Amino acid sequence: MKSNGLFDFSIDRENRTIRITREFDASLELVWQAWTMPQLLDQWCAPNPYRTETKTLDFQEGGFWHYAIVSPEGNKHWSRYDYKKIEPQKSITELRAFSDENGRVNPDFPRTECTLIFSETDGKTRVKITEKYKSPEMFEKMATTSHKKGFSSHLKNLDDLLLTLKNR
């Protein structure tokens, strides 16, 4: 699927915040499903050539997504997103953290609060993502061209998945 070109990645150093806006040529319902169902998340939510492997996804307020980003060599890097607030097909607020294989959050890194806002206009869905970093060190690691390229890559994977889903 060819994206319409809307991909905005802005960095607010003063507030340790990254804002990402991306539009998809698909319905809100389809984009929401791709963002909230493990069998779909695992098909797109990692920059190439990595892949995502969900261990647990309990998509409800108080629930969490525990998953690994898997390298081509099979190395797993674990994360856990705890869902604070969910407004179906409107928004998700989550606390992101590195974890171990059992889902225990790594206490060495403060959690990042992430809010995703979903909206649809004329059959296209816009997702606005705000990442707020408590850790200055983690913010500096993420406020990079490398993070922007990785994010762009996995959102391109979502474009491709959405095209496949639309054609079913």
Side-chain angles (χ1 to χ4, degrees):
M1 173 181 286
K2 184 171 178 7
S3 102
N4 71 353
L6 176 63
F7 175 69
D8 182 55
F9 186 98
S10 62
I11 297 167
D12 177 350
R13 292 196 177 283
E14 183 178 331
N15 295 303
R16 290 197 302 263
T17 301
I18 297 173
R19 289 181 183 81
I20 302 156
T21 302
R22 182 65 151 70
E23 195 166 83
F24 300 94
D25 186 15
S27 70
L28 174 59
E29 181 179 359
L30 204 54
V31 173
W32 182 263
Q33 288 174 0
W35 224 285
T36 61
M37 298 173 66
Q39 65 272 29
L40 297 178
L41 276 164
D42 286 352
Q43 294 182 56
W44 70 268
C45 198
N48 292 328
Y50 293 82
R51 64 182 176 83
T52 303
E53 184 177 290
T54 295
K55 187 167 186 179
T56 303
L57 191 141
D58 180 15
F59 188 71
Q60 64 177 335
E61 290 181 8
F64 63 90
W65 180 33
H66 178 219
Y67 71 96
I69 297 289
V70 185
S71 74
E73 301 76 30
N75 298 319
K76 294 182 179 182
H77 306 278
W78 293 95
S79 292
R80 178 176 163 145
Y81 294 6
D82 285 83
Y83 299 114
K84 288 177 51 176
K85 185 174 182 188
I86 298 170
E87 294 180 81
Q89 297 191 15
K90 291 183 183 176
S91 68
I92 303 168
T93 301
E94 57 200 22
L95 291 176
R96 296 179 173 183
F98 293 115
S99 71
D100 65 14
E101 183 179 359
N102 297 312
R104 287 185 297 264
V105 170
N106 185 334
D108 296 335
F109 297 98
R111 292 178 150 213
T112 299
E113 183 175 277
C114 186
T115 302
L116 300 93
I117 307 292
F118 298 78
S119 62
E120 181 179 8
T121 305
D122 298 326
K124 294 185 182 201
T125 300
R126 184 172 288 191
V127 182
K128 294 181 180 181
I129 304 163
T130 303
E131 301 172 337
K132 294 181 182 180
Y133 294 86
K134 290 183 180 170
S135 162
E137 297 80 17
M138 185 55 65
F139 173 75
E140 289 304 323
K141 280 183 141 182
M142 302 310 276
T144 62
T145 302
S146 178
H147 180 54
K148 180 179 179 179
K149 285 180 182 176
F151 221 97
S152 177
S153 172
H154 83 255
L155 293 177
K156 169 67 172 86
N157 293 340
L158 179 52
D159 278 329
D160 295 341
L161 174 63
L162 291 168
L163 178 60
T164 301
L165 295 173
K166 282 173 63 171
N167 290 330
R168 283 189 186 165

